[in-house]
């Protein structure tokens, strides 16, 4: 920190994103991106004609895209908010709904950005421990009397809770916002989106980064009651009115026209997830049942850090955290069948060398 930075950031620990190495070609299974490129329609949409208009600011309301998204999800445009990645959306939500007197709670093992935003905005927060086997007990959140953030399915565990459990949490915390981060919802879990018609304290967050192969485009969106959406708008127009750039908006429009392509990709990911889990089972790994495009797994013989480093030395990147409760676990993104075979071959060799 230079001597010019405000001392209010003295203790701030920034989020550490997964490695995005620019030096060599890794088999990249560390940040839950899609292994598949955007659909051909997206590549066609991000064209010279679109680039030619980059001298002009984009539509601050992203009206066309919001309209299309609202049609896809069966809601009204007033129920949709767009952000520069769901990370920006989360940032706006923490900023808008939480403060010194409006604390927030989330699971102790979940998306690492939640405590970072809480610290950034000086929001008191509680990390509620998951139960045995990384199971979230909804009872821990019912009638809590705080704002609540839950990733469903959860990252990095891959586990999901049913919509009925989420409804109970929303219903018993009517004076607080319940944010459900559905970054991985398209890989098999059930969305709680229909509940926004009934509960004005529910904020559903989704992203184009995972299932829709658009991590580099940066587009996240919220679905919620008109009230919560207009609160987020207020923060957006006080921060950056043009948070969705023209090329991303064009790519997103084409993405929504290519649902068949993305459904096929989902099937491949689900098949590769089952394939990889079965192969790891055979090697004696313990793997948490996943409804996402990653698996959370533990090797019986080799420690998490050691296995992570050995894989990296062999050109395979997975995610590992130096956090006591999960230090023996690795999060492995599901890639193509070829990528998973390379990963598995290296795991077998590393285990053999370990004896
Ligand atoms: C990947 C991820 C995000 C962030 O997604 P972006 O839209 O790329 O910012 C948010 N929440 C969870 C749980 C994630 O895994």
């Amino acid at each position: 920190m230079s001597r010019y930075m405000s001392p209010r950031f003295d203790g701030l620990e920034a989020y550490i994103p997964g490695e995005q190495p620019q030096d060599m070609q890794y088999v990249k299974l560390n940040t839950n991106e899609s292994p598949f490129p955007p659909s051909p329609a997206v590549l066609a949409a991000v064209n010279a004609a679109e680039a030619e208009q980059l001298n002009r600011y984009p539509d601050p309301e992203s009206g066309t895209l919001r309209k299309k998204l609202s049609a896809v999800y069966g809601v009204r445009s007033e129920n949709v908010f767009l952000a520069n990645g769901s990370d920006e959306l989360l940032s706006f939500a923490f900023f808008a709904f939480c403060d010194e007197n409006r604390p927030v709670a989330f699971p102790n093992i979940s998306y690492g950005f939640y405590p970072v935003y809480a610290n950034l905005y000086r929001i008191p927060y509680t990390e509620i421990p998951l139960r045995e086997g990384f199971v979230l007990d909804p009872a821990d959140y019912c009638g809590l009397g705080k704002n609540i953030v839950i990733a469903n399915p959860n990252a990095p565990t891959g586990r999901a809770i049913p919509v009925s459990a989420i409804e109970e949490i929303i219903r018993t915390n009517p004076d607080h916002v319940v944010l459900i981060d559905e970054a991985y919802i398209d890989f098999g879990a059930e969305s709680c989106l229909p509940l926004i018609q009934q509960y004005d304290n529910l904020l559903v967050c989704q992203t184009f980064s995972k299932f829709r192969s658009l991590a580099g485009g940066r587009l996240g969106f919220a679905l919620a009651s008109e009230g919560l959406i207009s609160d987020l708008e207020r923060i957006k127009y006080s921060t950056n009115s043009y948070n969705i750039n023209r090329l991303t908006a064009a790519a997103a429009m084409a993405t929504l026209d290519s649902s068949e392509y993305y459904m096929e990709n989902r099937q491949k990911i689900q098949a590769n997830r089952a394939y990889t889990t079965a192969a790891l089972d055979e090697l004696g790994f313990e793997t948490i049942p996943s409804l996402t495009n990653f698996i959370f797994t533990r090797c019986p013989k080799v420690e998490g850090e050691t296995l992570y480093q050995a894989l990296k030395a062999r050109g395979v990147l997975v995610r590992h955290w130096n956090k006591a409760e999960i230090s023996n676990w690795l999060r492995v993104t599901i890639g193509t069948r070829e990528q998973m075979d390379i990963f598995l071959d290296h795991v077998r060799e590393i285990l053999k060398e370990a004896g």
Side-chain angles (χ1 to χ4, degrees), residues 10 37 40 46 70 81 104-105 114 134 153 166 174 261-262 275 281 326 347:
D10 271 354
V46 185
S70 62
F81 177 80
V104 63
Y114 305 152
F134 307 118
I166 292 175
Y261 171 82
Y262 293 99
Y275 171 80
D281 282 352
I326 54 172
V347 167

Side-chain angles (χ1 to χ4, degrees), residues 229-307:
I229 296 298
S230 66
D231 295 339
L232 291 171
E233 295 282 351
R234 188 120 71 111
I235 300 294
K236 169 189 133 164
Y237 284 106
S238 308
T239 307
N240 175 13
S241 324
Y242 303 112
N243 63 338
I244 309 301
N245 75 74
R246 282 180 179 276
L247 296 180
T248 295
M253 290 293 288
T255 298
L256 295 172
D257 284 331
S258 315
S259 54
E260 233 171 89
Y261 171 82
Y262 293 99
M263 310 260 254
E264 280 168 24
N265 289 349
R266 159 173 38 211
Q267 281 187 344
K268 289 180 199 160
I269 295 291
Q270 287 172 336
N272 293 348
R273 183 174 76 200
Y275 171 80
T276 308
T277 305
L280 289 173
D281 282 352
E282 263 179 41
L283 295 171
F285 278 66
E286 180 187 350
T287 303
I288 304 295
S290 168
L291 284 173
T292 64
N293 67 337
F294 59 83
I295 49 173
F296 203 47
T297 189
R298 172 165 69 173
C299 178
K301 287 196 251 175
V302 184
E303 284 190 355
E305 170 78 26
T306 312
L307 185 52

Side-chain angles (χ1 to χ4, degrees), residues 106-278:
F106 39 78
N108 66 330
I109 298 165
S110 191
Y111 188 39
F113 234 133
Y114 305 152
V116 174
Y117 290 130
N119 285 324
L120 174 62
Y121 298 124
R122 309 177 142 206
I123 302 159
Y125 64 94
T126 312
E127 296 183 288
I128 300 183
L130 293 177
R131 305 299 180 102
E132 184 70 30
F134 307 118
V135 169
L136 187 150
D137 185 348
D140 293 339
Y141 297 83
C142 287
L144 191 64
K146 290 179 179 166
N147 290 325
I148 292 169
V149 178
I150 292 175
N152 193 52
N154 196 14
T157 68
R159 279 196 192 278
I161 55 171
V163 170
S164 56
I166 292 175
E167 177 164 18
E168 204 50 23
I169 295 170
I170 301 164
R171 196 182 59 76
T172 57
N173 290 283
D175 297 330
H176 295 88
V177 174
V178 177
L179 188 163
I180 304 295
D181 183 346
E182 295 190 336
Y184 300 100
I185 200 66
D186 300 287
F187 296 102
E190 193 191 347
S191 173
C192 65
L193 168 64
L195 298 178
I196 69 165
Q197 310 298 349
Q198 210 178 329
Y199 298 96
D200 64 3
N201 60 330
L202 168 62
L203 184 66
V204 181
C205 296
Q206 294 195 11
T207 176
F208 276 59
S209 292
K210 315 283 165 55
F211 165 67
R212 291 189 166 112
S213 296
L214 214 60
R218 313 304 301 127
L219 185 66
F221 59 100
L223 304 161
S225 62
E226 230 180 292
L228 293 187
I229 296 298
S230 66
D231 295 339
L232 291 171
E233 295 282 351
R234 188 120 71 111
I235 300 294
K236 169 189 133 164
Y237 284 106
S238 308
T239 307
N240 175 13
S241 324
Y242 303 112
N243 63 338
I244 309 301
N245 75 74
R246 282 180 179 276
L247 296 180
T248 295
M253 290 293 288
T255 298
L256 295 172
D257 284 331
S258 315
S259 54
E260 233 171 89
Y261 171 82
Y262 293 99
M263 310 260 254
E264 280 168 24
N265 289 349
R266 159 173 38 211
Q267 281 187 344
K268 289 180 199 160
I269 295 291
Q270 287 172 336
N272 293 348
R273 183 174 76 200
Y275 171 80
T276 308
T277 305

